[in-house]
Amino acid sequence: MTSSPVYQCKRALIIGINTYQNNSLNYCINDAKDLMTTLNRIGFKEVLLGVDCKRTKFLQMVETFAGRIKPTDLTLFYFSGHGKQYENENYLLPSDYDYDYSTRESIYLLDNAVSVQTNVRTKGGSDQQGLSPMHASPETLIAYACAPGAVAVDETRNGRNGYFAEHLLKHIATPNNDIEDILKIVAREVKLQTSGFQVPFRTSSLTEKVCLVTSNVQGQYDSPFLNRFEKHTIDIQTLIHERHWLLSRELYGWLENCLPNNLGSNFPLLQHLFVDYSQDQLCSLVIEACEQLNISTDDENTPEKNLQVINYCQEKLLRAASFDLPLTLSTQTSSECQNLIQQYYEMR
């Protein structure tokens, strides 16, 4: 199996724009800020963030970022905001873009927007909606939130992020996962969530596997428990308090109920339904819950306190669940499964 190259530095430039003279957006800044947080967590050494940038600031950030890139770096550029295409050229719109119809928009774009092909320096008519497809430069991956010529939906399911960003954030920190595989999962989930209206698109000239993170630098849950060596040499049950162990087993039983009894070989497993799932993760999550709820192992072991811990863990797992979870639960008729489906969508 081909391994991911080792990069000297991982860098990112992220720009999110909500505020426009016309047709302002709602979730782009959240998307940008949340991606910055995630990239910092998985080992990106330099992440530049621009919010509601005017064209001058936008171009300055691109120039600054480009000037720091070295051949041995892994670089990521992310833009969330309005975009246009004209004669197969893509333009990203800064917050001060204000076309007033006094001249042809093709002329206005040249002086007031940011050309992807020229200003952002990737190589690749009409004034159609959306963006046009581009040919990726060598060892480059270009991803769109929607198909060329289409538009992304300015809606949210989780109350904070757009559809594409929601699913990207859910999967991008998965260790040892090729970014192209991650984007396939994101595209599938966005397509399902929007009933086929929005279908993410990508074009790639990558010749090697690229993993943004090769080890779980800081996972979905902020209580790292064991390193890889320890997990292979020490029985986890001997290292944690019996109360934590029993609660993690109860939580595992709840998860198993999410799977149908007639599980086929091709049916999703727990690691497909919950991001970063492992049995060790359940132990870490129980420990985190006890810390957050101020429940000590010295406290009286009551059903009420145990239920608090289980409810906390269940909520965290539901928030980290993939779109496969409600589809899987829908194959069962129990009221508990139907309630979980409702809770899943209420969190989004």
Side-chain angles (χ1 to χ4, degrees), residues 33 78 81 96 110 119 130 133 179 219 225 233 253 285 291 317 346:
K33 288 181 176 180
Y78 178 90
D96 55 350
L110 292 173
N119 299 122
I179 185 61
F225 185 68
T233 59
L285 187 53
E291 291 175 350
L317 286 165
E346 286 175 351

Side-chain angles (χ1 to χ4, degrees), residues 276-331:
D276 293 338
Y277 169 80
S278 71
Q279 292 194 29
D280 290 0
Q281 179 217 39
L282 295 185
C283 296
S284 295
L285 187 53
V286 167
I287 293 171
E288 176 193 323
C290 290
E291 291 175 350
Q292 294 295 321
L293 298 170
N294 294 317
I295 297 176
S296 167
T297 54
D298 296 327
D299 293 345
E300 183 181 359
N301 192 352
T302 65
E304 291 78 12
K305 289 183 177 179
N306 290 343
L307 182 60
Q308 280 183 283
V309 173
I310 294 297
N311 287 340
Y312 177 97
C313 295
Q314 288 176 345
E315 181 178 344
K316 292 281 280 191
L317 286 165
L318 282 174
R319 290 189 182 280
S322 75
F323 194 67
D324 287 327
L325 180 63
L327 296 177
T328 303
L329 292 172
S330 66
T331 65

Side-chain angles (χ1 to χ4, degrees), residues 61-338:
M61 294 193 70
V62 170
E63 195 65 30
T64 299
F65 180 69
R68 296 176 182 175
I69 297 172
K70 296 178 174 57
T72 54
D73 291 346
L74 171 68
T75 58
L76 183 152
F77 172 69
Y78 178 90
F79 173 78
S80 185
H82 281 310
K84 279 182 174 288
Q85 61 163 297
Y86 182 79
E87 291 185 348
N88 295 320
E89 180 117 355
N90 290 325
Y91 296 89
L92 308 179
L93 306 190
S95 64
D96 55 350
Y97 186 87
D98 188 19
Y99 177 55
D100 59 5
Y101 299 92
S102 62
T103 184
R104 287 187 301 167
E105 189 169 16
S106 58
I107 297 175
Y108 189 85
L109 280 167
L110 292 173
D111 296 327
N112 296 276
V114 177
S115 167
V116 175
Q117 282 86 340
T118 302
N119 299 122
V120 185
R121 306 185 195 286
T122 55
K123 302 296 183 184
S126 67
D127 56 351
Q128 297 172 15
Q129 294 188 88
L131 298 177
S132 64
M134 294 191 302
H135 299 293
S137 303
E139 300 302 329
T140 300
L141 169 66
I142 302 171
Y144 300 81
C146 59
V151 293
V153 183
D154 186 33
E155 295 178 359
T156 184
R157 188 68 62 88
N158 64 4
R160 180 171 177 82
N161 305 110
Y163 292 138
F164 179 79
E166 175 193 348
H167 294 286
L168 180 66
L169 291 166
K170 190 189 304 182
H171 297 292
I172 198 170
T174 306
N176 306 315
N177 223 6
D178 186 1
I179 185 61
E180 296 206 63
D181 291 336
I182 289 174
L183 289 173
K184 288 177 185 176
I185 296 171
V186 171
R188 176 169 57 86
E189 293 184 353
V190 171
K191 180 181 178 181
L192 287 170
Q193 193 171 50
T194 62
S195 300
F197 181 83
Q198 181 175 331
V199 182
F201 174 83
R202 63 195 174 278
T203 179
S204 173
S205 63
L206 296 178
T207 58
E208 296 183 85
K209 179 179 179 180
V210 174
C211 300
L212 298 190
V213 55
T214 53
S215 61
N216 201 355
V217 178
Q218 184 176 1
Q220 176 84 13
Y221 309 105
D222 296 331
S223 301
F225 185 68
L226 294 171
N227 66 36
R228 185 174 297 277
F229 174 74
E230 288 171 329
K231 286 194 284 187
H232 283 287
T233 59
I234 302 175
D235 182 359
I236 189 172
Q237 189 174 357
T238 66
L239 296 175
I240 66 173
H241 193 277
E242 180 183 8
R243 184 174 183 177
H244 292 155
W245 173 253
L246 293 175
L247 285 169
S248 71
R249 300 312 297 164
E250 182 177 343
L251 191 59
Y252 178 71
W254 172 76
L255 288 176
E256 280 198 315
N257 288 334
C258 293
L259 297 176
N261 295 327
N262 57 341
L263 184 65
S265 59
N266 296 321
F267 210 91
L269 302 176
L270 288 175
Q271 55 264 40
H272 300 143
L273 303 180
F274 300 95
V275 177
D276 293 338
Y277 169 80
S278 71
Q279 292 194 29
D280 290 0
Q281 179 217 39
L282 295 185
C283 296
S284 295
L285 187 53
V286 167
I287 293 171
E288 176 193 323
C290 290
E291 291 175 350
Q292 294 295 321
L293 298 170
N294 294 317
I295 297 176
S296 167
T297 54
D298 296 327
D299 293 345
E300 183 181 359
N301 192 352
T302 65
E304 291 78 12
K305 289 183 177 179
N306 290 343
L307 182 60
Q308 280 183 283
V309 173
I310 294 297
N311 287 340
Y312 177 97
C313 295
Q314 288 176 345
E315 181 178 344
K316 292 281 280 191
L317 286 165
L318 282 174
R319 290 189 182 280
S322 75
F323 194 67
D324 287 327
L325 180 63
L327 296 177
T328 303
L329 292 172
S330 66
T331 65
Q332 304 187 76
T333 58
S334 69
S335 58
E336 181 181 7
C337 288
Q338 299 308 308

